[in-house]
Amino acid sequence: AFERQPRVYAVLIQVQGSADPHAREAYREFAQRQSGAFASVLDSSRLSEDKRRDVIAVMNAVLDQNLRTWQLGLQPADAVATAIDRAADLLLGC
């Protein structure tokens, strides 16, 4: 979705740095949805709840870092997907 609408991630970066309460709430909602997407993939796994939370935190960090470098023009969009796949493989032993 970010590839189709690259400005959305640029706005998200600005929202992350804002102290405005409305911006913080918007970011919190976005972050919950993003974590929910990762969590839904892990629902059928045998991982403990603690391990799931750790995997989700790492995957969120990998996604955020790679989207930032893509947004800056330092890597192509397909590199973001590759980084997510590689992180999942490392974390889940795929």
Side-chain angles (χ1 to χ4, degrees), residues 33-51:
R33 281 193 218 109
Q34 182 174 297
S35 292
F38 286 127
S40 68
V41 173
L42 297 173
D43 281 345
S44 62
S45 75
R46 295 181 186 161
L47 297 175
S48 70
E49 192 60 36
D50 287 343
K51 179 76 169 183

Side-chain angles (χ1 to χ4, degrees), residues 26 63 65 84:
L63 179 60
Q65 176 60 32
I84 289 294

